[in-house]
Amino acid sequence: MLDYQAPKNLLTDKTILITGAGAGIGRTAALTYAKHGATVILLGKTVAKLEAVYDEIVNAGYPTPAIVPLDLKGATEQHYRDMSDTIEQQFGSLDGLLHNASLLGALGPFEHLDINSLSELLHVNVIAEAAMTKALLPLMRKSAHASIVFTSSSVGRKGRAYWGAYAISKFATEGMMQVIADECDGSQVRVNSINPGATRTSMRASAYPAEDPQSLKTPVQIMPTYLYLMGNDSINHNGEEFNAQ
Ligand SMILES: NC(=O)c1ccc[n+]([C@@H]2O[C@H](COP(=O)([O-])OP(=O)(O)OC[C@H]3O[C@@H](n4cnc5c(N)ncnc54)[C@H](OP(=O)(O)O)[C@@H]3O)[C@@H](O)[C@H]2O)c1
């Protein structure tokens, strides 16, 4: 998958929602999916960043995207139900959902863990994903082949000292992926997780301030696996953990 070469029209006629589409890996995934023919729904917190991605896609001549400004921190089930209704009215169904937005939170010893911050982080990284997936699954069942991709991390597969809240949230994400994948087994909806690996973004720079960003892969370089999981070449994969590097 790491050297997967996607055909140019891989995602033609697909509608794909990307969370955290205004920056980092999500931004690049949105541009890459649009470049391969998808109509992308850009969800994120900062409207100006989403508008910049929107303009980039339109200026490149890719399918016209849609913008959903939403702060996952305060979003309720009603927000996701309304979003699902709007997507259904506009597009009829949903073929792809990339859960990408996340908070890193504070890194440090477990005994210093701030429980209020843990709760807030779990709301963005886990509860929002659960509520959004619950609301969008009926719409994804209307697609001939739908793909849900959860974003994990190395510390969501093996715990590591000082990664407290973030690691806990990524283990929960992997668990959620497995539960939904098992329920969707044999259906046209597949559910998998991806670990991007160390990638040149602002989140990575916050976690490793002393690191030389030039030593890291760029978001563009990790896109083959992101494309593979959204396109129909991956329809036989369900409940699996992928690495993008
Ligand atoms: N970069 C790495 O090395 C690495 C490694 C392993 C896993 N990951 C995972 O890969 C994913 C993308 O990471 P990244 O490095 O691209 O992170 P990033 O540069 O920090 O981007 C995160 C994105 O999530 C959005 N977001 C954060 N809080 C939000 C909220 N409350 N509501 C809506 N959107 C919100 C941000 O929007 P705003 O810009 O508007 O705040 C931003 O677009 C994350 O799940 C991360 O855990 C990254």
Side-chain angles (χ1 to χ4, degrees), residues 137-213:
L137 254 177
L139 213 48
M140 301 197 77
R141 292 193 193 282
K142 294 187 174 184
S143 159
H145 298 290
S147 174
I148 302 176
V149 179
F150 285 94
T151 305
S152 185
S153 165
S154 309
V155 298
R157 293 177 181 169
K158 177 147 184 23
R160 196 185 303 160
Y162 312 125
W163 282 79
Y166 180 79
I168 293 167
S169 78
K170 292 301 184 180
F171 269 89
T173 292
E174 291 282 12
M176 179 159 36
M177 177 280 282
Q178 290 177 18
V179 169
I180 305 168
D182 204 26
E183 289 183 21
C184 290
D185 205 35
S187 80
Q188 78 282 28
V189 181
R190 62 195 188 281
V191 192
N192 297 285
S193 73
I194 191 166
N195 169 20
T199 308
R200 200 186 303 167
T201 68
S202 58
M203 182 187 284
R204 177 74 191 185
S206 305
Y208 294 90
E211 185 176 62
D212 175 9

Side-chain angles (χ1 to χ4, degrees), residues 50 55 222:
L50 299 176
D55 288 346
I222 63 168

Side-chain angles (χ1 to χ4, degrees), residues 19-26 43-46 49 70-73 99-103 124 151-154 166 170 195-204 226:
T19 72
I25 295 167
L43 186 148
K45 186 172 52 150
T46 312
K49 292 184 187 175
L70 190 66
D71 186 342
L72 300 174
K73 192 157 63 175
H99 286 295
N100 163 81
S102 272
L103 292 175
V124 172
T151 305
S152 185
S153 165
S154 309
Y166 180 79
K170 292 301 184 180
N195 169 20
T199 308
R200 200 186 303 167
T201 68
S202 58
M203 182 187 284
R204 177 74 191 185
Y226 280 79

